[in-house]
Amino acid sequence: MALDEYKPQKGGSELETDHQFKYVGTRPDRPDGFDKVTGRARFGADMYAPGMLHAAILRSPHAHARIVRIDTSKAEAMEGVKAVVTRADFSKNVPFAPGMAGEFWNILENVMAGEKVLYDGHAVAAVAATTPLIARDALKAIEVEYEILPHVTDVDEAMKPDAPVIREGAADKSVPEGMHPNVVRYHESGHGDVEAGFAEADLVIEDHFTTEATHQGYIEPHACLATLGSDGKGELWCCTQGHWYVQKVCAALLDLETANLRVTASEIGGGFGGKTTVFIEPVALALSRKANRPVKLVMSRSEVFRATGPTASASMDIKIGMKKDGTITAAKGEFRLQGGAFPGAPMEFTAMCAFACYNLKNVHQVGYDVMTNRPKQAAYRAPGSPMAAFAVESVIDELCNRLGLDPIEVRLKNAAREGTKASYGPTFPRIGLVETLEAAKAHPHYSAPLKPGQGRGISCGFWFNHGGETSVSLALSEDGSAQVMVGTPDIGGSRASMALMAAEVLGIPFEKIRVTIADTGSLGYNEISHGSRVTYASGLATIKAAQDAVRKLRQRAADKWGIDVEAVDWVDGCAVPSGPNAGDFDPLPLAEITKNMGATGGPISGHYEATPEGAGVSFATHIVDAEVDRETGSTRVVRYTVVQDAGKAIHPTYVEGQFQGGAAQGIGWALNEEYIYGPDGRLQNPGFLDYRIPVASDLPMIDTVIVEVPNPGHPYGVRGVGETSICPPLAAIANAVSNAAGVRLRDLPMRPSRILEELEKQQGDA
Amino acid sequence: MKKIHVTTKINGDTVEFLCDPRETLLDVLRDRLGLTGAKEGCGTGDCGACSVTVDGRLTCSCLMLGVEAEGHEIGTVEGIADGEELHPLQKKFIEYAALQCGICTPGILVAAKNLLERNPDPTEEEVRYWLAGNLCRCTGYDKIIRAVLDTAAEMREAS
């Protein structure tokens, strides 16, 4: 839409499903907006404690080496140094196990190296001192003797017979015999007979694709403030997507009782999956215990790049067969992902998402989780899915081009619908892929004329979405306001959506509701803010907790009126007599009931806890126009439209924000971003200057279309929206580049040098 | 290392502090003066989260030493609002949802305010290039750019 047409909308949107809602679907100001525009919101590094020390971590300069000796005595002797820790200061009771079964051991080994350093940036020791400068100086006084070992950082190289072994015994039982020990997990799924399917096709394309590791790139480096005593009781303040998980892991790594460590989540300066695990928190706790002082630990940006989770890199082979009418007859994919020096590259998600957009008779997918000498990968927005979409949607585009078919029509013809047996197994309930494709087709962008040198690409994308363990409490105040305590850190405006859902149930204005992110001592276990689960799962629990409170409110009214609670309805924030008693009493507003709650039975609260399993899967279709400069090889995105199924947009502005943010990250992944390793196995670009995420002048406005196909698994129809938006951009841009310049880029990022190479080949062919 | 005495003005108030000559202005603002609105996103001047003004000039406070503040006037995000009245940019950022996590917001507000003081009627392109030194990973910049342009329009009407 044109710039001057856009104003933030204050009213509800005009979708049919809205008519039943008073608050849901409106766009109020977020409750924490004031704090965040004035600088008073407290993020991870913004907390200070009396007597606090500052910590710093010594990191390996080698990609792979045996630690022969660490001597910390000179550092310990420095004035101002209060504690030095190495692996010896962590639990010896965390068992090693193959694959993901040993995840706590993997995390411990990643947090502080044991016998070997496994990647450039791997932590080997840490210091707490009275000032940050002394802590940094003390690192230089720690002597580490290394025996350097051969290393490998490329996924295909790491699978070859002569590749250096990262760790023997890390492979779990899923791995077929005869594979290199670096292959630690294996996945295979699908249905039908792909070979028979390929035989039916009029055209079969088989191609190889790669994507590089990219970093989540949150602007806030990891930061924490830890206090732990030798009595085993501690407090931890940190920026995290999930503080109960932090509590559980830190307790295990430091031999604490979980409940004795209270963790408070700070405001979080971005995460995108990268703050779903721990890196520095156990180190700060160990230092605090040893020094008997609070310890603050903040990562530098280069530490964030070198030692926190980038996404996995991928090497992929795709084969798809199509009939002349556009019917896909069979599809096959092999996905090799490296996730650093530990098991966990999300190759099963890559395999399962790859063909999930399509209704396929014959489909087969294989995944390999491969270890290399790189940092332990962490989740990144729809982990595993974007690379699959890049490869698959590129091949589908190529098939459309060669068969002269419209890319949207072909996708519509093959689209997964309600009742489709998904490529990864289950049968889809009601889903919204077709609706996103129809909306994309009808969007003015799809038929707008292109300028010379420009090309248009489209792509679909899929993500599962997730429910997870969730607990929410709601308490009413005497004046009729309500506090909602949720356990999922607010990473992009979720306080607003929780307040809207609570307002809807209670029938009181949005402004009367305060949503707090509770600490681990104030609420039951809550899984991490991941898997696009917050508005779905915490939202569902907020609705149920509010309904629990409403039941109690109705009971108080029933008691007052001397009628049965079943004869009391809750309408628009008031108890109303119904049935045989209808009209007998005046409606009793919420605040009238809470005013006397102390005398009528005590405080009124609502609570709900569950592991909801009805997270609706989500699909998107993106349209992008790109312009390729044939002289420099540089590509510019000139127009972008995101169409995605949100199920039900609780706060549409923040849903749009998720769509736009995912698209922008995808643009970075497609065009600029990559981990670059030198022959020495060291990361060459651990900073925002050389690892270039999109800046404001790189991007156009990003238009959004919110499709609403309600999720039957949520009371208001919510589907998660956070992740799917990063799945289509990679292929959509590759397809646009192909249409703009006639070259097919199979390796990401599509940096100018790669485009120029392809253009030169094109000229050579001509 | 021996600390050095510095006298400066921050958000209009005279401030004195002692700092190690190796400390950045950002370190001093955050760790010595309790002004944690400016954030360290990179420490190398690439992300703009630590943006402040020094005598009216937009500056990455991580690239300047604390001792260099001697005799200069520093402006931070804490000084943008007029008492309880938010600056029009602050209001528009909330209204437009021009922030998700909010970590880049202080730096972007300082930078955008500085732009509007120099150029009350910027084009979209001018806003995009002025803010190219302020990284935001959440929003894709769309709502930020719109919020700045709409603030500029409203401030022009009001003046």
Side-chain angles (χ1 to χ4, degrees):
Chain A
M1 96 186 58
L3 187 59
D4 53 0
E5 291 167 18
Y6 181 94
K7 293 275 177 190
Q9 297 163 37
K10 276 295 164 195
S13 54
E14 289 168 11
L15 289 148
E16 273 186 13
T17 49
D18 275 357
H19 295 318
Q20 60 181 301
F21 295 116
K22 185 171 178 185
Y23 298 102
V24 162
T26 64
R27 302 169 184 247
D29 290 349
R30 65 193 281 169
D32 55 333
F34 189 96
D35 285 353
K36 286 181 175 161
V37 299
T38 54
R40 81 178 187 193
R42 280 180 301 181
F43 290 85
D46 297 339
M47 192 59 109
Y48 296 77
M52 183 181 91
L53 302 173
H54 299 265
I57 295 179
L58 182 68
R59 296 182 179 279
S60 165
H62 305 297
H64 196 192
R66 191 170 308 286
I67 300 173
V68 179
R69 183 182 64 94
I70 303 182
D71 183 351
T72 60
S73 57
K74 283 181 189 150
E76 281 162 24
M78 284 172 64
E79 192 183 338
V81 172
K82 300 296 177 187
V84 181
V85 296
T86 62
R87 179 63 173 272
D89 295 282
F90 294 84
S91 176
K92 288 153 190 78
N93 305 314
V94 182
F96 173 80
M100 296 301 285
E103 187 56 5
F104 279 17
W105 186 90
N106 293 334
I107 293 172
L108 173 57
E109 181 75 5
N110 187 44
V111 159
M112 194 58 74
E115 292 170 8
K116 293 201 296 183
V117 291
L118 300 164
Y119 56 92
D120 166 42
H122 198 169
V124 292
V127 172
T130 49
T131 73
L133 292 167
I134 294 174
R136 265 180 271 165
D137 284 347
L139 295 185
K140 295 172 197 155
I142 297 174
E143 293 170 10
V144 187
E145 190 185 323
Y146 294 103
E147 176 198 338
I148 295 173
L149 302 170
H151 68 270
V152 60
T153 55
D154 177 80
V155 63
D156 291 319
E157 293 298 321
M159 294 175 77
K160 288 182 179 166
D162 57 345
V165 176
I166 313 296
R167 187 182 310 110
E168 289 285 0
D172 70 16
K173 285 178 186 159
S174 64
V175 180
E177 273 188 42
M179 306 238 38
H180 192 284
N182 291 343
V183 180
V184 288
R185 295 185 311 129
Y186 176 83
H187 168 92
E188 197 173 344
S189 58
H191 56 251
D193 179 345
V194 286
E195 294 314 320
F198 289 130
E200 285 174 37
D202 293 312
L203 179 62
V204 175
I205 293 184
E206 192 171 4
D207 222 330
H208 176 69
F209 297 86
T210 65
T211 60
E212 237 322 325
T214 54
H215 198 276
Q216 294 81 351
Y218 34 82
I219 306 302
E220 180 199 34
H222 299 258
C224 67
L225 174 59
T227 310
L228 179 61
S230 53
D231 62 350
K233 295 190 176 68
E235 304 276 333
L236 179 66
W237 160 275
C238 61
C239 56
T240 176
Q241 290 175 243
H243 37 311
W244 274 268
Y245 186 70
V246 170
Q247 179 195 37
K248 185 163 70 175
V249 178
C250 289
L253 269 47
L254 293 156
D255 291 323
L256 307 173
E257 297 296 337
T258 303
N260 279 339
L261 178 63
R262 186 170 72 110
V263 184
T264 305
S266 70
E267 293 303 323
I268 174 169
F272 315 108
K275 290 176 182 165
T276 56
T277 183
V278 303
F279 299 101
I280 56 171
E281 295 82 358
V283 179
L285 284 163
L287 285 165
S288 175
R289 180 164 61 185
K290 209 163 181 178
N292 199 19
R293 299 260 295 262
V295 170
K296 183 170 180 172
L297 182 43
V298 182
M299 272 188 166
S300 69
R301 177 55 54 182
S302 71
E303 287 181 286
V304 172
F305 274 114
R306 288 169 73 205
T308 71
T311 188
S313 65
S315 162
M316 303 171 282
D317 293 301
I318 304 294
K319 186 175 178 182
I320 301 176
M322 194 178 276
K323 286 189 179 168
K324 279 180 189 156
D325 69 355
T327 307
I328 299 173
T329 58
K332 193 166 101 170
E334 192 172 302
F335 306 93
R336 297 167 295 274
L337 272 68
Q338 72 73 32
F342 302 89
M347 53 80 194
E348 64 275 56
F349 294 160
T350 310
M352 291 160 78
C353 292
F355 303 106
C357 291
Y358 302 108
N359 180 9
L360 301 172
K361 265 193 208 153
N362 308 298
V363 59
H364 187 243
Q365 53 245 340
V366 175
Y368 300 88
D369 176 1
V370 185
M371 298 204 303
T372 65
N373 293 112
R374 291 197 189 204
K376 186 179 195 298
Q377 71 85 37
Y380 181 22
R381 210 168 198 155
S385 183
M387 42 280 247
F390 167 60
V392 170
E393 295 284 308
S394 292
V395 172
I396 289 178
D397 196 67
E398 204 58 42
L399 285 160
C400 292
N401 280 349
R402 292 205 210 161
L403 291 171
L405 300 168
D406 178 87
I408 288 192
E409 294 301 339
V410 165
R411 285 169 173 87
L412 275 169
K413 193 177 187 72
N414 295 285
R417 297 156 197 263
E418 183 170 355
T420 295
K421 182 175 167 56
S423 58
Y424 62 94
T427 299
F428 283 128
R430 194 166 175 213
I431 55 172
L433 174 60
V434 167
E435 287 80 352
T436 70
L437 282 161
E438 294 286 4
K441 193 167 84 171
H443 195 280
H445 183 173
Y446 194 60
S447 48
L450 288 160
K451 289 182 185 155
Q454 297 182 346
R456 179 164 298 144
I458 74 137
S459 171
C460 295
F462 163 84
W463 182 245
F464 309 99
N465 292 332
H466 181 57
E469 290 161 89
T470 308
S471 173
V472 167
S473 278
L474 181 148
L476 296 174
S477 309
E478 284 186 346
D479 66 355
S481 58
Q483 49 186 11
V484 179
M485 283 145 289
V486 301
T488 38
D490 179 353
I491 202 158
S494 61
R495 285 180 182 92
S497 52
M498 298 305 134
L500 282 166
M501 286 184 266
E504 194 69 49
V505 177
L506 296 173
I508 60 173
F510 174 83
E511 292 74 20
K512 281 187 183 289
I513 296 164
R514 170 97 188 228
V515 180
T516 300
I517 313 304
D519 62 69
T520 59
S522 310
L523 200 61
Y525 190 88
N526 272 273
E527 208 174 294
I528 300 163
S529 291
H530 67 160
S532 299
R533 77 178 208 89
V534 174
T535 310
Y536 167 70
S538 282
L540 181 149
T542 297
I543 291 167
K544 301 274 189 186
Q547 288 170 343
D548 187 26
V550 164
R551 261 192 301 279
K552 292 168 188 170
L553 288 161
R554 286 168 48 226
Q555 182 66 56
R556 298 290 166 100
D559 293 347
K560 182 181 166 122
W561 293 331
I563 63 175
D564 192 81
V565 67
E566 296 308 319
V568 179
D569 281 348
W570 191 258
V571 182
D572 218 8
C574 297
V576 181
S578 68
N581 304 102
D584 289 356
F585 308 98
D586 285 341
L588 196 55
L590 184 144
E592 285 298 313
I593 302 173
T594 54
K595 192 168 72 180
N596 300 315
M597 64 186 176
T600 60
I604 301 176
S605 307
H607 190 75
Y608 186 78
E609 51 210 358
T611 304
E613 285 174 355
V617 299
S618 144
F619 295 89
T621 301
H622 290 196
I623 314 169
V624 56
D625 295 352
E627 199 169 83
V628 177
D629 183 326
R630 298 184 74 93
E631 274 183 43
T632 64
S634 103
T635 301
R636 194 171 173 81
V637 173
V638 293
R639 185 167 181 184
Y640 205 105
T641 303
V642 176
V643 187
Q644 186 175 319
D645 176 18
K648 173 68 200 166
I650 301 297
H651 192 306
T653 311
Y654 285 95
V655 171
E656 293 164 5
Q658 290 297 320
F659 290 5
Q660 292 166 332
Q665 288 185 319
I667 291 168
W669 199 339
L671 295 177
N672 301 322
E673 297 178 33
E674 61 178 317
Y675 264 47
I676 301 169
Y677 279 93
D680 57 1
R682 289 180 187 165
L683 183 61
Q684 305 279 297
N685 58 337
F688 280 135
L689 188 63
D690 298 316
Y691 181 97
R692 195 171 182 285
I693 73 172
V695 303
S697 54
D698 292 335
L699 300 180
M701 292 299 185
I702 297 168
D703 288 348
T704 56
V705 178
I706 301 174
V707 169
E708 293 185 314
V709 177
N711 166 25
H714 184 277
Y716 297 162
V718 167
R719 296 175 196 272
V721 296
E723 291 170 290
T724 304
S725 52
I726 201 175
C727 302
L730 284 52
I733 295 166
N735 295 341
V737 166
S738 164
N739 291 326
V743 291
R744 169 64 58 187
L745 274 289
R746 297 171 183 84
D747 305 291
L748 294 188
M750 294 178 268
R751 50 178 133 84
S753 58
R754 281 192 172 137
I755 300 235
L756 284 179
E757 256 173 54
E758 291 300 320
L759 287 171
E760 275 163 28
K761 271 190 231 163
Q762 182 191 50
Q763 284 195 321
D765 291 345
Chain B
M1 210 170 273
K2 211 172 170 185
K3 291 199 179 92
I4 293 175
H5 178 272
V6 177
T7 306
T8 182
K9 226 173 206 185
I10 301 179
N11 300 328
D13 296 331
T14 299
V15 175
E16 291 176 73
F17 58 84
L18 293 172
C19 77
D20 186 295
R22 293 174 294 173
E23 282 174 47
T24 66
L25 175 60
L26 178 61
D27 294 334
V28 170
L29 288 172
R30 292 179 52 82
D31 294 345
R32 296 201 180 275
L33 304 177
L35 293 168
T36 54
K39 310 296 181 191
E40 180 165 322
C42 66
T44 50
D46 298 316
C47 80
C50 65
S51 295
V52 298
T53 55
V54 180
D55 299 333
R57 185 177 170 167
L58 187 61
T59 304
C60 285
S61 60
C62 75
L63 291 184
M64 183 172 156
L65 293 171
V67 294
E68 291 180 294
E70 174 70 38
H72 294 289
E73 287 197 27
I74 312 296
T76 74
V77 70
E78 287 90 347
I80 286 185
D82 181 12
E84 65 180 338
E85 182 69 12
L86 293 181
H87 186 277
L89 275 167
Q90 292 173 308
K91 290 183 196 166
K92 284 280 181 230
F93 267 56
I94 297 174
E95 185 191 347
Y96 273 76
L99 57 138
Q100 283 175 32
C101 79
I103 194 85
C104 70
T105 309
I108 289 186
L109 286 169
V110 168
K113 178 168 174 277
N114 197 250
L115 168 65
L116 299 188
E117 283 163 3
R118 289 153 189 264
N119 179 359
D121 190 11
T123 63
E124 180 191 338
E125 195 174 16
E126 284 170 333
V127 176
R128 286 190 179 276
Y129 276 88
W130 186 267
L131 293 180
N134 291 83
L135 301 181
C136 168
R137 191 59 156 172
C138 294
T139 64
Y141 305 102
D142 183 299
K143 293 182 192 302
I144 293 173
I145 305 299
R146 293 181 197 277
V148 174
L149 288 167
D150 194 30
T151 308
E154 203 173 280
M155 286 174 75
R156 286 197 305 278
E157 273 171 35
S159 64

